[in-house]
Amino acid sequence: MKKQFPIGFWNYVNVKKQTPDDVGDWKELGMTLANSPSFSEGDDPARMLAVLDACAENGIAVNVCDERTLWTDASVAPVAYEAKFRAAYDAFGHHPAVRGFHIGDEPLDDRSFADCEAAFAVQHRVAPELRPFLNLNPYWKGIEKDLHCTDFSEWLAQLAKKTQMPAVSYDMYGQMAPQPGGVEDYFTNLRLFSAGAREAGVDLWTTLLCVGHYHYRCPNDDDFRWQINTAVASGVKGIMWFCIYEPSISNYRLAPFDSFGERTATFSMLSRANRSFLHRFGDFFTDAKFCGAYHFKQAFGGYPLFKPGETDARLTAITTDYGESPAIVGFFEKEGQKCVALVNNSQRESTLFHPHFSKKAGVASVSKMTWDGDFKPLTYNPSDVEFRETEDEIVLDAWLAPGQMDLYRLEENTCTDRS
């Protein structure tokens, strides 16, 4: 399977009701990853295999959701758990679409974490070529007491190392809750989970929201763009969406598929956001190295403020016109070159940003990522003035809608003295 930036979704449909035709919908939504339909003992394996075949044909990797592989009792009955896992692995684990098996969602107490550790151990031993998938609770103030720790990020890093989890994954929907507390919680989670994942040396994944429920609003175009780009600029390497099929309970509303199984307006918005990101940025962020993120104008969730000329000498200032939006400045490296992501961190306001790059600090020129995912050197064009150059600096214009991102590659003069 081609390596792609993982964008997937939570799936609660039983295999009896899922068909290979549904995979075409997932492809249209811009999904490169899927949680499979749920499978229980007694279900027909042929139905799951048919869905997996369709996923392979459409280039979609799969986390298999088989109840036999869930963590339940893995620590107290390891032999029985291994027998169940081997049965699931023999049935589905050799299929080319399979990325790994789902271990479970949101463990919290001591017993569930012990079971998770045991389940990881079995899966790594029996199927070392696969990547087990576990999703964690979000962080909330006071969770340290439940986890018997004083530093959440350190606890997370130790868990990731102990279990050899391929990626740290968690869910957080506060960004769609009433403001400002929800956005603060969202970025607190990004910061703490990112720190733990980086210490453990594994990728960071997060689950974002595509369905209104409880006190969470129904996301719109700006919200989808904002969720994807703020996460990626903060170091996230994989995204899951909750959830594309609307549960017929409580006040769930406007999922991409409603309770009748029909497409809603959200389908088009989510499809556009996913496919736009993948088309322009997907190849870059699949294997770019995350070096750190800073907030401009207003810091959320404990992130450090960007300090012009100090955070990175190459970026001496960010100024704004026609709006006062905060921003995220993410630093990345790829193929030995420094890259800077600039994201409008407002959920509602567009702003004209002006990043200032220092020629004295070694920036010879700046290339901007185009719509088609290529870096193009920026030069003066009188019909489209987005570039100004003086003896000391290069200044760009970046009109950014809510959550919109520009990505710049810094072409450096290696002979410049940066002392």
Side-chain angles (χ1 to χ4, degrees):
M1 300 267 303
K2 176 186 174 183
K3 186 177 181 181
Q4 304 177 84
F5 189 94
I7 299 182
F9 62 94
W10 287 87
N11 186 359
Y12 304 98
V13 177
N14 186 270
V15 72
K16 296 183 182 73
K17 298 181 179 180
Q18 198 98 75
T19 73
D21 291 341
D22 296 330
V23 178
D25 294 327
W26 307 345
K27 183 73 171 181
E28 283 189 58
L29 278 170
M31 301 299 177
T32 62
L33 176 74
N35 274 9
S36 78
S38 58
F39 183 90
S40 302
E41 284 191 272
D43 288 337
D44 183 1
R47 293 190 65 88
M48 178 71 86
L49 290 169
V51 172
L52 294 177
D53 287 344
C55 286
E57 292 169 6
N58 284 276
I60 298 174
V62 181
N63 294 322
V64 175
C65 299
D66 187 321
E67 70 169 12
R68 294 171 292 184
T69 72
L70 299 178
W71 76 59
T72 306
D73 293 338
S75 65
V76 296
V79 174
Y81 178 81
E82 181 169 336
K84 290 189 295 182
F85 177 72
R86 285 185 180 277
Y89 177 60
D90 289 344
F92 309 123
H94 303 285
H95 195 283
V98 173
R99 177 186 183 275
F101 287 86
H102 183 35
I103 283 179
D105 186 30
E106 298 185 342
L108 186 58
D109 59 22
D110 294 345
R111 170 63 183 275
S112 61
F113 278 113
D115 283 346
C116 286
E117 291 177 24
F120 268 108
V122 168
Q123 295 202 23
H124 285 314
R125 185 175 67 255
V126 175
E129 77 282 11
L130 299 182
R131 289 164 284 181
F133 176 67
L134 172 72
N135 187 67
L136 300 172
N137 273 293
Y139 172 86
W140 62 79
K141 188 176 181 180
I143 196 175
E144 292 90 348
K145 182 178 179 181
D146 296 317
L147 300 175
H148 314 299
C149 70
T150 56
D151 185 306
F152 177 80
S153 295
E154 182 179 328
W155 169 87
L156 177 64
Q158 292 305 312
L159 176 69
K161 292 175 182 178
K162 187 185 301 183
T163 60
Q164 300 180 57
M165 60 176 64
V168 168
S169 176
Y170 73 100
D171 52 74
M172 161 48 62
Y173 311 138
Q175 65 276 16
M176 294 295 104
Q179 306 306 325
V183 167
E184 188 73 18
D185 290 342
Y186 171 77
F187 282 109
T188 296
N189 273 262
L190 272 175
R191 179 177 59 82
L192 294 176
F193 274 94
S194 178
R198 291 178 75 185
E199 184 179 338
V202 299
D203 287 346
L204 174 64
W205 288 27
T206 190
T207 298
L208 304 174
L209 189 65
C210 66
V211 57
H213 67 289
Y214 304 159
H215 63 307
Y216 305 122
R217 69 177 179 272
C218 300
N220 61 23
D221 275 304
D222 288 341
D223 293 322
F224 283 120
R225 184 192 317 111
W226 185 93
Q227 289 186 87
I228 294 173
N229 290 336
T230 57
V232 171
S234 302
V236 166
K237 302 286 286 185
I239 289 170
M240 300 289 286
W241 289 103
F242 176 81
C243 55
I244 67 169
Y245 297 107
E246 185 171 286
S248 301
I249 58 173
S250 189
N251 66 335
Y252 280 79
R253 57 210 184 274
L254 281 182
F257 293 93
D258 64 20
S259 298
F260 296 101
E262 298 171 356
R263 294 183 181 187
T264 69
T266 304
F267 184 99
S268 295
M269 290 188 286
L270 180 58
S271 170
R272 184 161 46 247
N274 285 340
R275 291 185 297 117
S276 294
F277 171 80
L278 291 169
H279 180 82
R280 186 179 181 190
F281 299 117
D283 286 345
F284 176 87
F285 284 108
T286 297
D287 54 9
K289 177 186 176 183
F290 174 63
C291 302
Y294 300 81
H295 287 194
F296 168 71
K297 280 191 182 289
Q298 183 178 0
F300 298 92
Y303 270 91
L305 273 171
F306 171 77
K307 296 180 179 179
E310 296 181 27
T311 300
D312 189 305
R314 301 169 187 83
L315 185 55
T316 57
I318 301 174
T319 55
T320 59
D321 286 315
Y322 306 104
E324 294 293 334
S325 299
I328 298 173
V329 185
F331 292 95
F332 297 83
E333 288 183 4
K334 188 165 185 178
E335 298 173 352
Q337 291 183 288
K338 175 80 74 173
C339 298
V340 179
L342 180 63
V343 178
N344 180 348
N345 201 19
S346 169
Q347 294 182 329
R348 294 293 176 262
E349 181 181 22
S350 294
T351 290
L352 175 59
F353 293 89
H354 306 289
H356 298 238
F357 294 99
S358 173
K359 296 169 73 175
K360 288 186 174 181
V363 179
S365 63
V366 179
S367 295
K368 176 182 175 181
M369 182 160 281
T370 68
W371 166 246
D372 290 321
D374 301 314
F375 279 107
K376 178 181 178 182
L378 292 173
T379 56
Y380 177 72
N381 182 348
S383 64
D384 183 16
V385 182
E386 64 171 347
F387 173 92
R388 296 180 297 283
E389 184 173 11
T390 69
E391 182 179 348
D392 295 333
E393 66 177 4
I394 296 170
V395 184
L396 309 180
D397 288 357
W399 262 115
L400 298 180
Q404 188 175 353
M405 175 167 61
D406 271 349
L407 183 64
Y408 306 105
R409 186 176 68 194
L410 308 186
E411 317 293 345
E412 299 190 63
N413 181 352
T414 56
C415 297
T416 298
D417 180 7
R418 295 183 190 170
S419 59

